[in-house]
Structures are given as C-alpha cells and as structure tokens.
Amino acid sequence: MSTTKRKGEFTGRHMLTIMVVFFGVVIAVNLTMAFMARKSWTGTVVDNTYVASQEFNTRVAEGRAQAALGWDSELAISDGVLTYHLTDAAGEAVVTPADTATANFRHTAYEADDRSTVLVRQPDGTFSGPVDLPDGQWIVEITTEVRGLDHPYRDAQRITLADGAMK
C-alpha cells in the first residue's frame, strides 16, 4: 500500500472538516434563532392560568352584556394622534363620567414593543391622545368608565399601521 497522496484526493480530513463546518453552521443558526425567539416573546399569555380560568366566565358575561348594548366605535390614528369616538345604538355619543380613557397597544409578535397611552376627552365627546407606534400589526384595547355600566367598557381592535396611519 502506498502512503503517497495524490493531488485532489478526498481524504478523511476533508470529510471531518465538512462535517464540523456543517454542524457548526446548524448549531450557530439554532442558537441565534432561539436567542431571538426568547428575546422577542416570553411565551407568557397570563401570569396565573388558574386565576385566568376562574375569571373567564365573568369576562365572557361582561362581553356579551357589552355587545348587547349595540354600541359602535370609531378608532383612527393619523399624524401621531389616536382619536376614539363611542356612540350608542341611537348614534348619540356615549356619556362618560371619566375625563380619560386608556389605550393599550400590544404588538402581535414582540412583547417588548407593548405600550399604553392616556386618551383625554375632548369637548365633542371623542377621546384623543398622542401615539408613537412603529408600522405593523397591533392589538389596541381601549378601556373607559361609562355612566350606567358596572364594569369599564372595553373595546379591542386589531389594526395595521403603515406610514404612521391606520390602513
């Protein structure tokens, strides 16, 4: 058996190098993706699932009672300002004893981008406030106290922002 190497011969060292590089790339990509996933979303939907399950039926009943009111809302975001108008079944502005409402913005993929803002009631009955949101999909939940209701009125909408305005 000859121990001389011929030029261009595929050896065990070549195979070892290919395997180490291949699996090194696979492991590096997996670690990068795992780090990015962990950084962007914790996976926590509720802090305590038992408590959330106990409150579920109450929240459903509140939602059904709220839907039975037949109220309608208009939400708009333009030029860094959110405006929110709530009307009853007759088309009249809903009377709210509160001078403010709270708008919570939840990003659909990144918990770190979640934020909230206080909306101030204007003389015409609408609520408005400043928002600074990056473009993308958002879930907006507006909560306000309303005269005659036992619980705060909650309005949740899924919106898409592009160039700072709702689409």
Side-chain angles (χ1 to χ4, degrees):
M1 214 176 211
S2 172
T3 58
T4 59
K5 258 201 295 187
R6 286 180 266 151
K7 189 172 181 168
E9 182 178 354
F10 189 77
T11 65
R13 227 176 238 186
H14 291 117
M15 186 64 192
L16 178 63
T17 303
I18 289 170
M19 295 299 289
V20 168
V21 169
F22 173 77
F23 284 108
V25 169
V26 169
I27 291 169
V29 168
N30 282 339
L31 289 174
T32 301
M33 296 302 258
F35 174 76
M36 290 172 62
R38 179 74 175 123
K39 183 180 173 191
S40 66
W41 187 53
T42 63
T44 303
V45 177
V46 292
D47 290 330
N48 187 327
T49 56
Y50 178 75
V51 172
S53 71
Q54 299 300 308
E55 297 172 349
F56 179 77
N57 289 337
T58 304
R59 300 263 318 210
V60 168
E62 288 175 11
R64 286 184 178 148
Q66 185 172 299
L69 296 172
W71 291 359
D72 192 29
S73 64
E74 293 179 30
L75 174 70
I77 298 176
S78 182
D79 298 326
V81 177
L82 180 145
T83 55
Y84 180 74
H85 188 66
L86 185 61
T87 56
D88 62 17
E92 300 293 322
V94 173
V95 177
T96 59
D99 289 329
T100 61
T102 303
N104 295 310
F105 302 93
R106 293 190 328 254
H107 197 277
T108 56
Y110 301 108
E111 243 177 25
D113 286 342
D114 293 357
R115 57 193 79 179
S116 65
T117 188
V118 174
L119 306 176
V120 178
R121 185 172 48 178
Q122 304 301 312
D124 64 355
T126 63
F127 288 92
S128 66
V131 293
D132 181 26
L133 300 172
D135 291 345
Q137 291 197 5
W138 292 88
I139 298 170
V140 181
E141 182 181 43
I142 298 176
T143 306
T144 186
E145 297 290 331
V146 177
R147 190 170 291 143
L149 294 182
D150 295 335
H151 304 284
Y153 186 84
R154 289 183 181 87
D155 186 8
Q157 298 182 29
R158 184 175 216 137
I159 63 168
T160 301
L161 290 179
D163 298 325
M166 279 178 48
K167 298 296 176 193

